[in-house]
């Protein structure tokens, strides 16, 4: 019985674990990664101009992650901390569509709520003929905001009931459905309706019906634990502290105590990418459904009663607030922005989502993101349907043909994977007790290695030793891009052959004094940078890193020792002896005991 209970608990816990989107090289889906780099450049300009402290960009295409990158810092005050892709952000008004509106649509699908229902059906003192549809499209006539200070002084805080009472009786700016006015009060009212119907807080209902089913591990209100540790801070307060894990929006923070229909949700790019993928996939992700296809379609369709105002049910299609869509995405694109600097854009026609997360209000509320969002959306859109055929040199294909004639790789094999440095190694002689397969190709680059993994991974080899990057440097690729491409290789190996023990090897130095390789002129300093970044990547992925670089340099320099090479790039026998010694702890000779 104990064993059965344990298994049931394990099954329940596994259901809440996020299955991250598969990461692929943009070119695999017909995108141009060089054009995508224009989005990187736009974000880096904004960081350099101090318009934002940092950002994370995620691009979802055809339900796969084609771009995930961090820029700048997550914190600049009181000390600087670098941004990373797992940073959790205060989503501000992006909470409206991703939590409150989806929660309302779930209730509509269950037959517990109607768009035509008047608000006073759920909040009896609510004045006027305002309907649920009016709240969700910002056509109710409610004022944009509420006087936080006076409400707090009069009623104390937090006090959600006092806030709702104020909204129920405050002055309306126009009759419902006659005009558009963006208002946080609409979604605070919608929150109260959801909570009245369900008997749960918005936090509880959204967690149980949206975030948990999708396995969103770092999404929710009032973050704590590991999620709180990942949160990027927002605005500096009068006492010198910064808001961190506490919602920035005053109504949500002060009057609603952090759980609010207009703001208060925290999330990261990975989780939002899964949510976007579910919406792009008609409400379902990884076998879990949060909405029906008709519910998703309704949410991204502007109701005919308010067609001229450009707002759908919780989302923005073409109102004055929709500039984050940019200029090139389809007319059916929908999205939303948040005051803290967050943005999500979903284009169902192109099966695309662009998620740009910043904490632009840190450390002071002076950030600029409006134009940046459009720049990023345009760069991403321009990368679509621009396939760059990867045609390699003749020797590459000769080697592939040769590999096809060799015995298929098996789970007993150890694969050495890389370029000419790997190909030139006599690995079978170096490690005679191992089943070594040399899969080095002279002149190969990281994308070339990625493209030929199909010859390797089906065999589930015992070990793979990966060493690459020199040819990428010679092609003038920046270190960030090289590391990103090597990340694709690592992710594909870990995903498709998890039984394989993968070892990432650092870059080797070069010696320009030989004058043999013009494309490497002036690039000596790039290789230690690359090796350092690869070490960080290995740590991030939890795989062993073999730091080759310092073993081959002249003391106090980044230069390859002359006695280890004949041309300034490739190794001679003495050089390979050093490499073999570095690898030996990871490849013990199984025949050594027999020889004794």
């Amino acid at each position: 019985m104990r064993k059965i209970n344990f298994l049931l608990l394990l099954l329940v816990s596994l259901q809440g674990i996020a299955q991250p989107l598969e990461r692929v090289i943009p070119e695999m889906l017909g995108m141009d990664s060089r054009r995508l780099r224009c989005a990187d450049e736009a974000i880096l300009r904004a960081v350099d101009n101090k318009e934002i402290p940092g950002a994370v960009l995620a691009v979802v295409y055809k339900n796969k992650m084609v771009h995930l990158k961090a820029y700048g810092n997550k914190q600049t005050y009181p000390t600087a901390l670098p941004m990373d892709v797992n940073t959790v952000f205060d989503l501000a008004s992006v909470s409206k569509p991703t939590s409150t509106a989806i929660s309302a649509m779930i209730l509509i699908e269950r037959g517990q709520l109607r768009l035509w229902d008047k608000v006073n059906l759920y909040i009896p003192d609510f004045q006027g003929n305002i309907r649920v549809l009016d709240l969700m499209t910002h056509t109710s006539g409610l004022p944009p905001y509420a006087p936080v200070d006076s409400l707090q002084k009069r009623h104390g805080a937090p006090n959600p009931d006092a806030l709702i009472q104020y909204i129920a009786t405050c002055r309306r700016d126009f009759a419902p459905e006659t005009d558009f006015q963006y208002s946080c009060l609409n979604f605070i009212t919608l929150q109260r309706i959801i909570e009245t119907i369900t008997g749960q807080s918005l936090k509880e209902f959204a967690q149980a019906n949206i975030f948990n089913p999708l396995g969103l591990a770092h999404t929710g209100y009032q973050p704590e634990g590991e999620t709180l540790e990942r949160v990027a801070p927002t605005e500096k307060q009068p006492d010198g502290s910064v808001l961190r894990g506490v919602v920035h929006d005053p109504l949500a923070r002060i009057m609603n105590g952090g759980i609010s229909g207009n703001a208060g949700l925290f999330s990261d790019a990975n989780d939002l990418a899964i949510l976007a993928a579910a919406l792009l996939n008609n409400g379902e992700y990884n076998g879990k459904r949060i909405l029906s296809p008709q519910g998703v379609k309704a949410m991204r369709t502007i109701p005919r009663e308010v067609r001229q105002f450009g707002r759908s049910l919780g989302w923005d299609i073409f109102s004055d607030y929709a500039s984050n869509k940019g200029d090139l995405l389809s007319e059916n694109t929908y999205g939303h922005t948040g005051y803290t600097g967050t943005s999500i854009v979903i284009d169902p026609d192109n099966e695309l989502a662009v998620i740009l997360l910043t904490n632009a209000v840190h450390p002071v509320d002076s950030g600029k993101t409006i134009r940046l969002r459009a720049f990023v959306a345009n760069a991403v859109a321009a990368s679509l349907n621009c396939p760059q055929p990867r045609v390699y040199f003749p020797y590459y294909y000769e080697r592939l043909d040769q590999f096809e004639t060799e015995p298929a790789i098996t789970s007993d094999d150890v694969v050495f994977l890389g370029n000419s440095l790997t190909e030139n190694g006599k690995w079978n002689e170096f490690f005679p007790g191992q089943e070594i397969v040399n899969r080095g190709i002279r002149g190969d680059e990281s994308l070339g290695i990625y493209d030929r993994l199909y010859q390797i991974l089906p065999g589930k080899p015992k070990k793979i030793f990966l060493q690459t990057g020199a040819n990428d440097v010679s092609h003038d690729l920046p270190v960030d891009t090289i590391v990103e491409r090597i990340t694709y290789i690592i992710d594909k190996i870990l995903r498709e052959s998890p039984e394989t023990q993968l070892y990432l090897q650092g870059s080797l130095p070069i010696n320009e004094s030989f004058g043999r390789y013009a494309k490497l002129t002036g690039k000596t300093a790039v290789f230690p940078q690359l090796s350092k970044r690869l070490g960080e990547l290995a740590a991030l992925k939890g795989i062993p890193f073999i730091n080759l670089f310092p073993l081959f340099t002249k003391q106090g320099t980044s230069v390859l020792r002359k006695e280890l090479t004949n041309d300034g790039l490739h190794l001679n026998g003495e050089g390979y002896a050093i490499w073999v010694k570095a690898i030996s702890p990871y490849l013990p000779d199984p025949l050594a005991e027999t020889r004794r």
Side-chain angles (χ1 to χ4, degrees):
M1 181 62 70
R2 281 184 174 180
K3 185 175 182 181
I4 293 173
N5 288 338
F6 172 77
L7 290 174
L8 287 173
L9 287 172
L10 180 61
L11 179 61
V12 169
S13 65
L14 288 174
Q15 288 176 343
I17 298 175
Q19 298 294 321
L21 290 181
E22 179 183 350
R23 288 198 66 183
V24 301
I25 295 172
E27 278 76 7
M28 300 299 290
L29 297 177
M31 298 178 75
D32 186 346
S33 60
R34 294 176 301 180
R35 288 176 173 267
L36 265 178
R37 285 205 294 272
C38 294
D40 299 337
E41 293 165 3
I43 297 170
L44 290 172
R45 283 196 305 270
V47 172
D48 290 342
N49 294 335
K50 301 190 184 309
E51 296 171 358
I52 55 173
V56 175
L57 173 63
V59 179
V60 179
Y61 186 47
K62 296 185 177 179
N63 277 9
K64 292 180 172 56
M65 185 82 81
V66 294
H67 196 72
L68 178 63
K69 203 164 185 179
Y71 317 80
N73 291 307
K74 68 186 292 183
Q75 175 179 300
T76 60
Y77 171 87
T79 57
L81 294 174
M83 188 70 77
D84 66 80
V85 296
N86 296 314
T87 299
V88 172
F89 292 82
D90 177 346
L91 296 187
S93 286
V94 173
S95 308
K96 291 180 173 75
T98 57
S99 176
T100 315
I102 292 178
S103 294
M105 183 55 65
I106 289 171
L107 295 180
I108 291 170
E109 290 189 350
R110 293 177 181 176
Q112 295 176 277
L113 180 66
R114 296 190 314 157
L115 292 175
W116 284 73
D117 283 346
K118 290 183 179 180
V119 175
N120 59 22
L121 179 64
Y122 305 97
I123 306 173
D125 295 335
F126 203 90
Q127 296 178 359
N129 293 318
I130 296 172
R131 298 183 290 175
V132 171
L133 179 147
D134 306 326
L135 300 177
M136 298 185 76
T137 59
H138 295 283
T139 57
S140 68
L142 289 175
Y145 214 66
V148 178
D149 291 343
S150 64
L151 288 172
Q152 183 180 16
K153 288 177 182 177
R154 187 179 309 159
H155 303 288
N159 197 330
D161 290 337
L163 177 56
I164 281 294
Q165 185 59 35
Y166 169 83
I167 298 171
T169 59
C170 70
R171 175 185 55 84
R172 278 54 173 148
D173 291 337
F174 52 82
E177 300 174 19
T178 62
D179 202 352
F180 160 78
Q181 179 169 264
Y182 184 84
S183 170
C184 286
L185 308 190
N186 287 317
F187 277 73
I188 293 173
T189 304
L190 187 61
Q191 172 194 2
R192 177 54 65 97
I193 293 173
I194 293 166
E195 293 176 340
T196 299
I197 293 172
T198 65
Q200 296 177 285
S201 69
L202 176 63
K203 173 183 178 178
E204 293 167 336
F205 185 81
Q207 194 73 48
N209 294 278
I210 305 171
F211 314 141
N212 285 350
L214 294 179
L216 308 188
H218 299 290
T219 299
Y221 297 85
Q222 300 172 318
E224 56 187 21
E226 181 187 357
T227 300
L228 178 58
E229 293 175 5
R230 296 183 177 194
V231 171
T234 54
E235 193 170 3
K236 180 182 177 182
Q237 300 300 291
D239 65 359
S241 66
V242 291
L243 295 175
R244 182 172 173 271
V246 178
V247 59
H248 179 266
D249 179 83
L251 271 180
R253 182 176 75 252
I254 298 171
M255 294 306 298
N256 267 350
I259 305 171
S260 196
N262 69 311
L265 191 65
F266 288 77
S267 188
D268 64 13
N270 287 288
D271 278 4
L272 287 177
I274 290 173
L275 179 59
L279 294 174
L280 286 166
N281 195 40
N282 288 319
E284 182 270 337
Y285 173 75
N286 196 37
K288 301 295 183 180
R289 180 170 293 283
I290 58 169
L291 288 173
S292 70
Q294 288 304 111
V296 174
K297 183 178 180 181
M299 289 199 76
R300 57 183 175 86
T301 302
I302 303 174
R304 62 181 181 276
E305 296 90 345
V306 291
R307 174 65 191 174
Q308 68 271 33
F309 302 122
R311 304 287 299 210
S312 66
L313 302 176
W315 297 91
D316 196 352
I317 308 294
F318 63 81
S319 83
D320 290 342
Y321 292 81
S323 64
N324 61 322
K325 290 171 51 175
D327 311 300
L328 305 177
L329 296 174
S330 77
E331 64 178 359
N332 292 316
T333 299
Y334 59 102
H336 213 285
T337 61
Y339 185 85
T340 51
T342 55
S343 171
I344 181 170
V345 173
I346 301 175
D347 182 347
D349 293 356
N350 285 307
E351 301 178 79
L352 176 76
V354 182
I355 298 158
L356 177 62
L357 303 178
T358 81
N359 53 333
V361 296
H362 174 76
V364 295
D365 186 0
S366 61
K368 299 177 181 178
T369 57
I370 293 176
R371 298 181 73 236
L372 173 62
R373 292 162 174 161
F375 290 153
V376 170
N378 286 345
V380 172
S383 72
L384 297 176
N385 305 314
C386 293
Q388 293 293 317
R390 295 204 293 277
V391 178
Y392 300 109
F393 43 95
Y395 183 70
Y396 178 90
Y397 297 103
E398 290 174 14
R399 285 285 279 170
L400 291 189
D401 289 342
Q402 178 185 336
F403 296 153
E404 291 290 347
T405 66
E406 296 176 357
I409 289 173
T410 72
S411 59
D412 294 325
D413 290 329
V414 175
V415 177
F416 279 73
L417 182 59
N419 50 37
S420 57
L421 292 166
T422 295
E423 182 182 359
N424 294 344
K426 299 177 181 179
W427 305 108
N428 276 300
E429 296 179 15
F430 299 152
F431 301 100
Q434 297 281 354
E435 298 292 332
I436 303 291
V437 177
N438 190 332
R439 286 299 171 92
I441 297 183
R442 182 178 69 239
D444 202 5
E445 58 182 21
S446 53
L447 287 186
I449 291 174
Y450 181 93
D451 281 347
R452 56 188 177 91
L453 288 175
Y454 72 91
Q455 291 185 324
I456 299 171
L457 299 185
K460 313 296 182 188
K462 180 167 64 176
K463 298 183 179 185
I464 293 178
F465 288 84
L466 173 64
Q467 204 285 325
T468 187
N471 292 311
D472 298 80
V473 174
S474 74
H475 297 161
D476 299 321
L477 292 176
V479 170
D480 279 353
T481 299
I482 299 171
V483 172
E484 184 176 30
R485 292 181 173 188
I486 293 174
T487 302
Y488 292 137
I489 298 173
I490 292 172
D491 286 347
K492 189 173 180 67
I493 294 172
L494 296 179
R495 183 175 63 249
E496 297 186 11
S497 187
E499 306 91 345
T500 299
Q501 175 62 67
L502 174 62
Y503 299 88
L504 181 60
Q505 303 178 85
S507 57
L508 294 168
I510 62 171
N511 190 319
E512 296 184 47
S513 68
F514 287 79
R516 289 283 301 274
Y517 299 99
K519 290 184 177 180
L520 291 173
T521 301
K523 296 177 179 174
T524 294
V526 176
F527 288 89
Q529 297 173 30
L530 176 58
S531 192
K532 179 176 182 293
R533 290 288 304 279
L534 292 179
E536 294 169 352
L537 174 61
L540 179 65
K541 296 297 181 180
I543 59 176
F545 177 65
I546 303 174
N547 189 11
L548 300 175
F549 190 86
L551 306 178
F552 294 86
T553 55
K554 296 169 60 177
Q555 188 173 7
T557 76
S558 298
V559 178
L560 175 62
R561 288 162 26 210
K562 277 191 173 183
E563 68 271 21
L564 304 181
T565 180
N566 297 320
D567 60 6
L569 173 63
H570 298 100
L571 300 178
N572 56 25
E574 187 178 351
Y576 276 106
I578 295 174
W579 194 345
V580 169
K581 185 177 179 181
I583 291 178
S584 292
Y586 307 99
L587 266 182
D589 184 352
L591 302 181
E593 194 66 33
T594 304
R595 295 192 187 101
R596 289 176 185 171

